[in-house]
Amino acid sequence: MAGWKVEIVRADALDEGAWAEWRAILADTPALNSPYFRPTFTQIAGAISPEAAVAVFTRDGRTVGFFPHQRRGGAIQPLAAPMNDYHGVIARDGEAPTLEEVATLLGASRLNVTAWVGDTPAGEPRRTVQVELGANGYDAWYAERRQTFGKFFKDKERARRSMEAELGPLRVERGLHDPKLLDWLIGLKRDQYKRTARHDIFACGWTAELLHELLKSEGPGGFGASMAGLWAGDRLTALEYSLHAGDQYHFWFPGYEPTLARCSPGILLSMDTMRLAAELGYRTFDFGFEGEHYKKYFCNGAHTVREAMIVKPGIGQAFSQAAVRALDLAGEGRGERLRASVRRRWAAIEACEVTPADRLKGAVQAAGAALAKVRAPQRATA
């Protein structure tokens, strides 16, 4: 491609001039205002994720962008997938190569992205949602939300009183870095994945190591990771692991005691975390992809990202289309919805598992779960 060149290097091989240019790009590009784009995230994830690297794009002799990524065979994914909630080329507006150009320059047989930040016609749009506190802070946000969605927030106030009456006084702490608490949270998430027949992203080991290493980190611009916890009496009821940088606070991994679901401890923890973090100057609280019902009551902002798979023309693309047609026949028109679900499951498996045997095992389990979804409606109407 005319004018484009790319150099693939390890993150620890980038010199200070490259990191300085990276930081200058972030300062000039509001769309990249997320902890996932900070150099410290790439430096830590680049040292832990297998086959991690940074693509340095130059055009006409000038460095114009960086793309942190990881390889799994011939496939390329954003660095730290499947846990990276935002990704793209670190470049100023209008200067980045397109998603298709990135795939070609990197020689990928397949480039899979779930939350691409940047202009591209490829794939499908998805929305992420945020709480934007604005200048008036948490109290003003809560007053507006309670007036707009009175029943929901009154229910949560009753749930707070109920849990306190049953278990004891509630206490919230944020800024937690205890690795034992993180292990408790990871255990909750693994139990959840098992109950819901989803791939256990922590079984591979490196993903849990990444969370532990990020928890130790402090980078420029307030970059870091921490947890917040909600106790009722002496009982820990919920934990949430978050990334933060600047005025951005990204809720990442929430977990709560399933036996207390009726009291909504996870929702109560998110509210109290926002209240406490707002006092420290955080103004945007990112909840990731929309979907969970409570987010529509919380969030007053949204961003559009792209989910796409760029496949090199050939047998892989033909097989993908044939599989969709087969699913359409088996699922009575549900092929497109199943394709998105299976694609996301496979992306997580491929990102986590670094050996063909482990990927095959995960794929078999994902296929079984997908077929169960197809058959369930058929059994219900039989």
Side-chain angles (χ1 to χ4, degrees), residues 302-372:
H303 296 308
T304 299
V305 294
R306 304 290 290 191
E307 179 181 36
M309 182 185 293
I310 307 300
V311 181
K312 185 180 291 186
I315 188 170
Q317 192 173 59
F319 177 79
S320 175
Q321 294 304 319
V324 172
R325 286 194 294 271
L327 285 170
D328 272 326
L329 292 174
E332 298 181 353
R334 288 185 287 271
E336 289 298 324
R337 293 193 294 275
L338 280 171
R339 181 174 68 172
S341 174
V342 171
R343 182 176 64 228
R344 290 167 192 163
R345 284 174 178 264
W346 171 246
I349 294 164
E350 188 175 45
C352 292
E353 310 302 340
V354 297
T355 69
D358 287 336
R359 287 197 289 269
L360 176 60
K361 180 180 177 182
V364 169
Q365 293 173 340
L371 287 173

Side-chain angles (χ1 to χ4, degrees), residues 2 5 25 64 71 93 123 185 202 234 256 301 306 341 346 365:
K5 290 185 179 180
I25 290 172
V64 296
R71 284 187 178 269
D93 291 338
L185 176 59
F202 293 115
D234 295 328
Y256 61 87
R306 304 290 290 191
S341 174
W346 171 246
Q365 293 173 340

Side-chain angles (χ1 to χ4, degrees), residues 24 34 39 111 198 339:
S34 166
L111 173 58
R198 292 172 59 192
R339 181 174 68 172

Side-chain angles (χ1 to χ4, degrees), residues 194-244:
K194 185 176 181 179
R195 289 196 311 273
T196 57
R198 292 172 59 192
H199 186 70
D200 181 355
I201 67 171
F202 293 115
C204 61
W206 71 263
T207 48
E209 182 184 355
L210 175 60
L211 295 190
H212 275 282
E213 287 302 313
L214 286 168
L215 203 61
K216 304 173 187 176
S217 68
E218 289 186 14
F223 176 90
S226 66
M227 295 176 292
L230 173 65
W231 281 262
D234 295 328
R235 183 175 176 180
L236 178 60
T237 67
L239 271 177
E240 188 147 29
Y241 186 109
S242 301
L243 285 179
H244 27 78

Side-chain angles (χ1 to χ4, degrees), residues 125-195:
R126 297 183 73 187
R127 288 206 331 160
T128 64
V129 290
Q130 300 80 36
V131 168
E132 299 286 358
L133 292 186
N136 294 323
Y138 178 85
D139 290 341
W141 167 83
Y142 186 75
E144 184 276 322
R145 293 282 99 179
R146 195 177 187 281
Q147 182 176 12
T148 305
F149 301 109
K151 182 179 185 302
F152 176 84
F153 286 97
K154 289 177 183 177
D155 285 345
K156 301 313 164 193
E157 290 167 3
R158 282 193 292 269
R160 186 186 296 272
R161 293 192 296 269
S162 175
M163 187 160 61
E164 191 160 26
E166 180 180 344
L167 299 175
L170 301 190
R171 180 180 91 259
V172 173
E173 295 183 20
R174 65 158 307 278
L176 302 171
H177 295 86
D178 186 341
K180 292 181 180 179
L181 290 178
L182 177 53
D183 288 337
W184 185 87
L185 176 59
I186 289 172
L188 281 181
K189 299 304 291 185
R190 298 191 68 180
D191 289 342
Q192 178 187 351
Y193 298 145
K194 185 176 181 179
R195 289 196 311 273

